[in-house]
């Protein structure tokens, strides 16, 4: 039985609404006071990070249900409540979101020169909505946060993005909207079938098998686009490439995690039978994403696009881990989501740092950068190694757990996925070689080394890479209980008709013999 | 019922409106102060609303001032209030006769109120005619612009055809049921539903479909919306539509309720067609008034879903959506008025290019209204759509809800395109704004409505549910 531990102090509300309050405050600051705007945004984001720390220190690792729970009536006619809480699956994302917001502000300090005020307002609002998504325990509230984030994100990419930003931004918006409106219908159907929108109650609910399949697909539309899974991934490279550095970091760091989080929070726990039935197709889609993403990386000439495609590949590992439906796989997937947020976020920051200096993202533009910016090269090296999954870095722990879990469940899937690891090493090392080694390209000869602000922005990421790589226990310990409970729930439904049976039945329904 | 002055209580708001409208038209040539008419119009609207609230529960012959009527009258009067607020600059630039202009608006609203509260078909028909005739003239008020006359003519011709259908339907029903009272009709229909009844219902559907701009009876809408003076466009796109739905709701869910299974099947293809055609045609528009006209067609499609549901909940969703639509659509038209220097100018969507840089506040307002029209939380538009789709699913039409959300994704494109032009492109030339305090008040009120209903719709939802029958 899942129990709720009510909050003694509304920490979650504070974490969500502090950035909103900060954004409102920024509205009042005159446009010309740019220094004040940036300073204020940074202070707010730092404060938000500080108030999210109690989640780390006061989290009860042995508690099965949700913690820090707040529950208030909201729209009674719709049975929607203001209902917040975290468990081992969501808590780390909130901390990561708060951290990434701070780093995004640091990294945008000089690169954003136009409409500064609007930029930081958008950033803070995005941060609030993202954190809200991970805290919401009411489906309606969840959907509101999920969609509300589209507005500031749309503006961030569209206003401060690159030359093809208009195309990228509208693609991003329409893809994600299309996915999530189907989820909206799913949410409404769930409400009428189950009579509640409370996530903890719904997690105990057993819906009929066929309905589970349909609802799984409706939610899948939203989550697969967000993750993004192949073949609905095409918005991501465009959005990543055109977004300003902070936008890319948020996309990679948090936004695309929301899809995988959705699978864990909703698909597995609400539709366990459908999950069991559809796990194999999900594994296949994940493997395609892993290999396809990695191969696409090899063909890229743009730094950001390469990292964007590597995200497709890495997120393929995450969904692979989730749908392996084993303890190791799911824990590895959650850890890998954090890792990917840290590493890819850091890589995007790194690209932003040189882009600010050269205004070029072409890989061929660089060469021999290690000689020109040695400290930068060292940082980049660590993140490259983490991205490849070298032992001692966080990437290793995550990938290892995922492959282990997948191997336990489906050996063939693990074998295919492992090729992705090899391909990952190929494209990342090749990238490093082209950018940092060889003879120094004359046009980058005089580039200044990273300054203190930039180093400070990357340092927390570096620490996380090594910390999780060497001693992942504190992070994994958050998840054990929640993941164990979740998987027990999934596997307790026993055997279900497989996908072939489903297709046969579906065909039979459409074309009765 | 024996006639006494006291029994007129139920129609006292309408009597008040007609007197006020007549007064304004009559003194038009005597009083030259524009602000006099403006203030009288605003106060008159507020007073009428207060009167409407006072008389809830009373009845006069075939007219009942029930909560349903009151809720919709609130929508009409809100639309009127906001439209009056956005009118002065435009009206003085176009050299309207203020008394005549506001008087016609009042007459139109009076007709709408009869449509919302009439309990027999004749009263509803009379209300519809009073509304339509006033609006034909209002559309033609911009007669210096050829488009205005064209729009008015088109609206008039097609509107007359719609009236003809309504009268045909009315006659058929009377012939079949021997009554024009809505509740009596329901009683008769519960015993018999045959093809002739369905024919009569179809006639009603066509006639009211014209008024709410349901595809394929929407042909007048883009031309009339484009040609009409912009404040009139704002008014008719919200209030006339709401009146159409008020009558549709009462006639179909009261009189024709026993035949619901039959007519809802008839209505479904129309609703789907309206949602998709409206949104797809909006994608290619470059004139903002035409774009909003097609989007208004699409919104009629969403609202029809609530009627298809045929439940109390569905009807309350229709009512709530109309109220929310008043805020967001008149707000959007308010921004259009703000940018129009003369009729026909400032309507091209490319005029909005870089608006955020030149005038951040109107651009922000427009952003808010457009996101609300798209249905993105936390705006009111989302609540409206959610509640509508919820009622449709509850009534067992899940597939229809899926189609509706798909249509609303198409809708996102034209709206986003304007946001894109405002925020993501550089301005090409200076755009000056029409200076008007009342316009800013209207925009602020609409924006507040959109945000507050979005965040806290609770009491409104409850009252819509309470007012529906």
């Amino acid at each position: 039985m899942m129990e709720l531990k009510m909050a003694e102090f509304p920490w979650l509300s504070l974490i969500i609404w502090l950035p909103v309050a900060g954004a409102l405050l920024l509205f009042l600051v005159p446009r010309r006071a740019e220094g004040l705007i940036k300073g204020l945004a940074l202070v707010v984001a730092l404060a938000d990070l500080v108030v999210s720390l109690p989640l780390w220190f006061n989290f009860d690792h042995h508690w099965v249900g949700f913690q820090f729970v707040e529950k208030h009536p909201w729209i009674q006619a719709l049975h929607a409540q203001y209902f917040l809480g975290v468990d081992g699956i969501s808590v780390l994302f909130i901390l990561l979101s708060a951290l990434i917001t701070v780093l995004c502000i640091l990294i945008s300090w000089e690169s954003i020169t136009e409409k500064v005020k609007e930029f930081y307002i958008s950033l803070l609002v995005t941060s609030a909505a993202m954190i809200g998504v991970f805290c919401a325990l009411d489906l309606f509230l969840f959907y509101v946060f999920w969609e509300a984030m589209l507005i500031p994100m749309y503006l961030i990419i569209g206003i401060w993005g690159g030359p093809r930003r208009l195309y990228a931004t509208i693609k991003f918006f329409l893809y994600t909207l299309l996915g999530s409106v189907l989820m909206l219908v799913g949410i409404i159907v769930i409400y009428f079938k189950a009579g509640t929108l409370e996530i903890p109650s719904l997690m105990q609910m057993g819906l009929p098998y066929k309905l589970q399949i349909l609802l799984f697909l409706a939610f899948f539309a939203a989550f697969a686009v967000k993750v993004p899974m192949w073949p609905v991934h095409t918005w991501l490279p465009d959005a990543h490439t055109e977004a300003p550095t902070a936008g890319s970091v948020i996309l990679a760091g948090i936004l695309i995690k929301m899809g995988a989080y959705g699978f864990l929070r909703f698909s597995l726990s609400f539709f366990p039978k459908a999950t069991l039935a559809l796990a194999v197709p999900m594994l296949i889609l994940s493997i395609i994403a892993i290999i396809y993403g990695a191969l696409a990386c090899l063909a890229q000439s743009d730094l950001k696009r390469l990292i964007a495609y590597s995200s497709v590949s890495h997120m393929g590992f995450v969904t692979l881990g989730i749908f392996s439906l084993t303890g190791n796989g799911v824990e590895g997937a959650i850890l890998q989501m954090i890792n990917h947020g840290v590493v890819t976020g850091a890589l995007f920051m790194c690209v932003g740092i040189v882009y600010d200096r050269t205004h070029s993202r072409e890989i061929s533009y660089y060469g021999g950068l290690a000689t020109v910016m040695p400290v930068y090269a060292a940082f980049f090296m660590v993140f490259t190694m983490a991205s490849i999954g070298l032992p001692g870095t966080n990437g290793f722990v995550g990938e290892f757990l995922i492959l282990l879990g997948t191997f336990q469940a489906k050996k063939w899937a693990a074998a295919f996925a492992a090729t992705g690891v090899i391909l990952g090493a190929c494209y990342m090392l090749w990238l490093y070689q082209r950018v940092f080694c060889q003879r120094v390209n004359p046009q980058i000869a005089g580039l200044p080394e990273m300054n203190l602000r930039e180093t400070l922005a990357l340092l927390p990421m570096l620490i996380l890479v090594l910390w999780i790589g060497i001693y992942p226990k504190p992070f994994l310990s958050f998840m054990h209980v929640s993941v164990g409970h979740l998987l027990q729930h999934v596997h307790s439904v026993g055997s279900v008709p497989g996908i072939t049976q489903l297709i046969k039945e579906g065909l039979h329904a459409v074309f009765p013999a | 019922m024996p006639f006494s002055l006291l029994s007129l209580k139920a129609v006292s708001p309408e009597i008040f409106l007609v007197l006020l409208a007549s007064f304004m038209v009559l003194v038009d040539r005597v009083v030259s102060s524009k602000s006099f008419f403006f203030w009288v119009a605003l106060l008159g609207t507020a007073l009428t609303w207060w009167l409407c609230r006072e008389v809830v529960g009373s009845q006069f012959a075939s007219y009942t001032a029930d909560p349903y009527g009151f809720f919709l009258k609130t929508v009409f009067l809100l639309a009127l209030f906001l439209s009056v607020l956005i009118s002065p600059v435009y009206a003085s630039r176009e050299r309207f006769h203020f008394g005549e202009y506001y008087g016609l608006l009042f007459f139109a609203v009076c007709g709408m109120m009869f449509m919302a509260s009439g309990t027999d078909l004749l009263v509803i028909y009379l209300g519809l005619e009073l509304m339509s005739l006033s609006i034909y003239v209002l559309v033609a008020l911009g007669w210096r612009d050829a488009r205005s006359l064209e729009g008015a003519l088109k609206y008039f011709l097609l509107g007359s055809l719609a009236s003809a259908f309504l009268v045909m339907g009315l006659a058929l029903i009377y012939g079949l049921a021997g009554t024009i009272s809505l509740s009596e009709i329901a009683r008769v229909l519960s015993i018999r539903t045959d093809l002739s009844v369905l024919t009569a219902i179809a006639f009603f559907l066509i006639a009211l479909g014209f008024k709410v701009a349901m595809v394929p009876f929407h042909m007048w809408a883009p031309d009339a919306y484009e040609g009409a003076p912009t404040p009139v466009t704002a008014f008719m796109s919200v209030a006339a539509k709401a009146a159409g739905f008020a009558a549709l709701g009462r006639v179909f869910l009261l009189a024709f309720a026993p035949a619901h299974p039959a007519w809802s099947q008839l209505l479904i293809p129309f609703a789907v067609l309206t949602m998709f055609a409206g949104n797809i045609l909006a994608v290619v528009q470059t004139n903002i008034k035409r774009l909003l006209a097609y989007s208004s067609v699409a919104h009629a499609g969403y609202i029809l879903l609530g009627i298809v549901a045929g439940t109390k909940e569905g009807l309350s969703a229709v009512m709530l959506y109309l109220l929310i639509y008043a805020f967001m659509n008149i707000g959007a038209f308010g921004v259009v008025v703000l940018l129009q220097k003369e009729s026909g100018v400032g309507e091209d969507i490319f005029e909005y290019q870089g608006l955020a840089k030149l005038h951040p506040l109107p651009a922000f307002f427009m952003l808010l209204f457009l996101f609300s029209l798209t249905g993105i939380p936390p705006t009111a538009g989302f609540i409206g759509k959610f509640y509508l789709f919820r009622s449709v699913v509850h009534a067992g039409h899940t597939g229809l809800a899926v189609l509706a959300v798909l249509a609303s994704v198409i809708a996102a494109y034209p709206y986003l395109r304007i946001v894109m032009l405002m925020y993501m492109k550089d301005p090409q030339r200076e755009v000056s704004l029409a200076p008007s305090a009342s316009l800013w008040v209207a925009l602020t009120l609409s924006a507040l409505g959109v945000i507050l209903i979005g965040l806290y719709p609770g009491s409104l939802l409850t009252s819509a549910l309470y007012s529906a029958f």
Side-chain angles (χ1 to χ4, degrees):
Chain A
M1 185 63 199
M2 183 157 290
E3 287 181 45
L4 305 174
K5 194 191 247 183
M6 301 308 280
E8 284 157 16
F9 182 84
W11 286 112
L12 296 178
S13 287
L14 189 62
I15 304 171
I16 295 172
W17 298 109
L18 191 65
V20 176
L24 289 175
L25 201 62
L26 282 185
F27 252 115
L28 306 174
V29 179
R31 184 169 303 280
R32 267 161 287 148
E34 286 189 8
L36 181 63
I37 291 170
K38 292 176 194 169
L40 207 58
L42 184 62
V43 168
V44 170
L46 276 172
D48 206 39
L49 182 61
V50 170
V51 298
S52 66
L53 288 179
L55 298 190
W56 175 274
F57 291 111
N58 297 345
F59 189 84
D60 183 346
H61 294 254
H62 304 292
W63 188 264
V64 179
F66 289 93
Q67 316 183 20
F68 300 95
V69 171
E70 297 168 38
K71 193 172 177 183
H72 306 285
W74 178 29
I75 312 173
Q76 269 152 348
L78 296 177
H79 302 273
Q81 302 177 80
Y82 180 77
F83 188 8
L84 305 174
V86 291
D87 67 353
I89 295 172
S90 54
V91 67
L92 290 176
F93 295 109
I94 296 165
L95 291 158
L96 184 68
S97 306
L99 174 69
I100 280 188
T101 310
V102 174
L103 304 183
C104 280
I105 291 174
L106 279 178
I107 207 76
S108 311
W109 204 266
E110 278 164 17
S111 55
I112 300 296
T113 51
E114 265 187 56
K115 299 200 184 106
V116 176
K117 180 166 142 178
E118 285 84 350
F119 179 79
Y120 288 101
I121 290 175
S122 306
L123 206 59
L124 289 175
V125 174
T126 313
S127 167
M130 286 186 313
I131 296 172
V133 164
F134 293 118
C135 293
L137 288 186
D138 179 280
L139 270 179
F140 186 84
L141 184 67
F142 168 81
Y143 188 80
V144 167
F145 281 128
W146 175 275
E147 286 285 88
M149 200 192 44
L150 279 181
I151 303 176
M153 206 57 212
Y154 168 76
L155 296 176
I156 287 177
I157 303 175
I159 301 178
W160 297 277
R164 287 179 69 240
R165 61 184 187 273
L166 297 186
Y167 170 74
T169 185
I170 209 140
K171 196 167 169 184
F172 158 75
F173 198 100
L174 291 182
Y175 263 70
T176 41
L177 186 66
L178 183 64
S180 41
V181 289
L182 290 172
M183 175 169 74
L184 180 67
V185 179
I187 290 176
I188 297 174
V189 171
I190 288 188
Y191 171 74
F192 286 118
K193 296 293 174 190
T196 179
L197 287 167
E198 286 183 14
I199 292 171
S201 318
L202 287 164
M203 289 163 105
Q204 324 279 338
M205 200 79 65
L207 293 164
Y209 178 54
K210 280 188 183 153
L211 184 68
Q212 281 197 20
I213 296 281
L214 289 174
L215 288 172
F216 183 97
L217 294 175
F219 278 68
F220 170 79
F223 302 147
V225 168
K226 270 286 205 283
V227 165
M229 291 180 82
W230 182 87
V232 284
H233 66 284
T234 61
W235 64 270
L236 185 79
D238 288 312
H240 260 327
T241 314
E242 297 305 321
T245 305
S248 303
V249 174
I250 287 186
L251 273 174
I254 308 296
L255 198 131
I256 62 177
K257 304 300 173 310
M258 286 167 33
Y261 171 76
F263 279 129
L264 283 169
R265 174 66 77 230
F266 303 112
S267 306
L268 264 60
S269 53
F270 291 3
F271 324 122
K273 288 181 183 167
T275 304
L276 284 176
L278 295 170
V280 171
M282 297 298 283
L283 289 179
I284 293 172
L285 285 179
S286 307
I287 291 168
I288 295 176
I290 292 172
I291 297 176
Y292 169 84
L295 289 174
C297 283
L298 289 169
Q300 300 307 316
S301 59
D302 180 303
L303 274 168
K304 265 185 147 179
R305 242 184 139 71
L306 190 149
I307 300 170
Y309 272 110
S310 83
S311 286
V312 175
S313 180
H314 282 141
M315 289 309 287
F317 273 106
V318 170
T319 47
L320 186 81
I322 292 173
F323 286 96
S324 74
L325 302 176
T326 57
N328 285 326
V330 175
E331 283 183 23
I334 299 174
L335 189 68
Q336 192 64 356
M337 287 187 327
I338 304 285
N339 292 340
H340 177 259
V342 170
V343 173
T344 309
L347 284 171
F348 275 120
M349 286 191 206
C350 287
V351 175
I353 287 170
V354 287
Y355 182 78
D356 285 347
R357 289 165 170 66
T358 61
H359 292 280
S360 170
R361 289 191 311 254
E362 282 298 308
I363 295 174
S364 57
Y365 183 88
Y366 300 93
L369 200 56
T371 335
V372 185
M373 298 171 72
V375 180
Y376 175 78
F379 270 101
F380 204 105
M381 175 58 103
V382 176
F383 297 130
T384 303
M385 292 307 152
S387 176
I388 293 170
L390 200 77
T393 65
N394 58 354
F396 173 74
V397 186
E399 275 182 6
F400 181 78
L401 281 172
I402 289 172
L403 288 174
L404 187 65
T406 314
F407 189 80
Q408 287 164 336
K410 299 273 185 277
K411 294 190 176 52
W412 56 267
F416 277 113
T419 57
V421 181
I422 301 164
L423 286 170
C426 295
Y427 65 75
M428 281 314 284
L429 288 177
W430 191 34
L431 169 77
Y432 196 85
Q433 189 217 353
R434 282 181 289 171
V435 173
F436 291 92
C437 308
Q438 300 164 339
R439 208 146 20 103
V440 178
N441 254 2
Q443 67 260 38
I444 60 156
L447 286 189
E449 181 58 273
M450 284 202 298
N451 59 29
L452 182 65
R453 177 180 55 80
E454 290 162 340
T455 317
L456 277 181
L458 282 179
L459 205 57
M461 299 300 217
L462 186 81
I463 293 170
L464 279 173
V465 163
L466 298 176
W467 181 9
I468 302 176
I470 295 165
Y471 189 58
K473 189 164 168 269
F475 294 86
L476 289 169
S477 67
F478 276 93
M479 318 162 189
H480 282 316
V481 173
S482 298
V483 170
H485 185 259
L486 176 66
L487 288 174
Q488 193 191 348
H489 172 67
V490 173
H491 291 295
S492 68
V493 298
S495 65
V496 290
I499 184 72
T500 39
Q501 177 72 22
L502 267 181
I503 294 172
K504 263 186 213 158
E505 276 181 27
L507 284 175
H508 188 73
V510 181
F511 309 105
Chain B
M1 196 200 305
F3 178 80
S4 76
L5 271 183
L6 206 63
S7 63
L8 280 180
K9 184 182 160 199
V11 280
S12 57
E14 287 76 6
I15 295 174
F16 174 72
L17 259 186
V18 169
L19 290 178
L20 199 64
S22 312
F23 165 76
M24 296 233 262
V25 176
L26 286 176
V27 299
D28 188 26
R29 301 296 151 130
V30 188
V31 181
S32 58
S33 160
K34 292 168 189 161
S35 57
F36 168 76
F37 290 111
F38 173 73
W39 287 112
V40 169
L42 280 188
L43 276 176
T45 310
L47 212 59
T48 311
W49 184 77
W50 177 78
L51 272 174
C52 287
R53 209 185 57 161
E54 290 301 304
V55 302
V56 171
S58 55
Q59 190 174 4
F60 171 68
S62 297
Y63 187 94
T64 165
D66 56 358
Y68 172 75
F70 173 62
F71 193 99
L72 285 155
K73 285 173 201 169
T74 306
V75 177
F76 309 147
L77 291 168
L78 175 74
L80 178 64
F81 193 79
L82 292 173
S83 305
V84 169
L85 279 175
I86 65 173
S87 292
V89 185
Y90 194 97
S92 46
R93 192 174 55 219
E94 298 297 312
R95 301 198 293 281
F96 288 175
H97 291 291
F98 278 73
E100 182 187 70
Y101 172 65
Y102 292 129
L104 282 166
L105 284 176
F106 274 38
F107 277 125
V109 169
C110 187
M112 294 170 188
M113 287 163 70
F114 276 105
M115 288 169 77
S117 274
T119 48
D120 78 28
L121 293 175
L122 204 59
V123 173
I124 291 175
Y125 173 71
L126 289 176
L128 184 121
E129 283 302 293
L130 176 58
M131 170 188 88
S132 304
L133 286 170
S134 315
I135 292 182
Y136 300 146
V137 184
L138 279 167
V139 173
L141 272 187
W143 52 271
R144 290 177 189 84
D145 186 347
R147 293 181 307 167
S148 177
L149 289 180
E150 189 195 325
L153 193 65
K154 208 163 185 174
Y155 189 22
F156 172 66
L157 289 176
L158 290 173
S160 311
L161 192 67
S163 291
F165 272 108
L166 195 70
V167 178
M168 276 293 287
L170 206 161
L172 255 175
I173 287 284
Y174 184 68
L176 292 166
T179 175
I180 49 166
S181 149
L182 297 182
S183 48
E184 287 292 302
I185 295 171
R187 205 175 47 79
V188 176
L189 289 198
S190 59
I191 309 168
R192 60 172 285 192
T193 326
D194 50 31
L195 194 62
S196 46
V197 172
L198 278 180
T199 315
I201 291 178
F203 280 163
F204 270 92
L205 188 62
I206 293 172
L208 294 173
F210 260 110
K211 292 297 158 196
V212 301
M214 176 177 86
V215 175
F217 313 113
H218 70 291
M219 296 302 185
W220 58 272
D223 292 311
Y225 282 22
E226 188 191 350
T230 313
V232 174
T233 315
F235 173 73
M236 65 194 277
S237 70
V238 172
K241 191 181 294 282
F245 275 108
L248 203 64
R250 208 185 272 277
V251 173
F252 277 71
L253 295 185
L254 193 66
F256 301 157
H260 173 254
W263 62 252
S264 67
Q265 292 304 318
L266 186 70
L267 194 51
I268 286 174
F270 284 111
V272 173
L273 202 65
T274 308
M275 291 187 297
F276 278 94
N279 283 325
I280 291 170
L281 290 168
V283 169
V284 293
Q285 303 304 321
T286 55
N287 179 299
I288 191 140
K289 282 166 84 175
R290 280 188 93 82
L291 190 152
L292 288 174
Y294 278 111
S295 104
S296 143
V297 170
H299 283 276
Y302 304 135
I303 303 173
L304 278 172
L305 297 181
I307 304 281
V308 168
T311 54
K312 182 179 166 76
E313 198 188 4
L315 190 62
S316 69
V318 169
M319 292 152 66
L320 182 79
Y321 201 89
L322 289 168
L323 184 72
I324 291 171
Y325 191 62
F327 282 113
M328 56 193 186
N329 213 43
I330 299 189
F333 275 112
V335 179
V336 176
V337 173
L338 195 65
L339 255 68
Q340 277 193 307
K341 282 168 288 293
E342 51 188 290
S343 70
V345 178
E347 289 179 15
D348 195 289
I349 59 169
F350 295 102
E351 299 269 338
Y352 288 76
Q353 197 157 322
L355 189 68
K357 206 170 228 168
L358 298 171
H359 303 289
L361 197 56
F364 178 73
F365 279 142
M366 194 66 166
L367 171 95
L368 200 64
F369 300 137
L370 291 173
F371 274 116
S372 185
L373 285 165
T374 316
I376 306 286
T379 58
F382 167 68
I383 298 287
K385 278 216 178 88
F386 180 83
Y387 196 49
L388 256 178
F389 298 163
R390 187 174 176 271
S391 72
V392 177
V393 172
H394 201 184
H397 299 288
T398 310
L400 206 53
V402 171
L403 287 176
V405 294
L406 292 181
S408 64
V409 175
I410 304 174
Y413 182 79
Y415 300 135
L416 286 184
R417 197 163 155 219
I418 301 174
V419 174
M420 209 154 81
L421 284 167
M422 292 193 306
Y423 277 87
M424 299 163 195
K425 295 244 174 177
D426 285 324
Q428 291 196 314
R429 58 193 170 83
E430 184 56 36
V431 177
S432 57
L433 299 181
S436 163
S438 66
L439 191 45
W440 284 107
V441 173
L443 289 178
T444 313
L445 282 180
S446 307
L448 279 177
V450 164
I451 294 173
L452 292 180
I453 299 175
L455 291 177
Y456 211 80
S459 53
L460 212 56
L461 278 162
T462 320
S463 73
L465 198 60
Y466 162 76
S467 310
F469 48 80

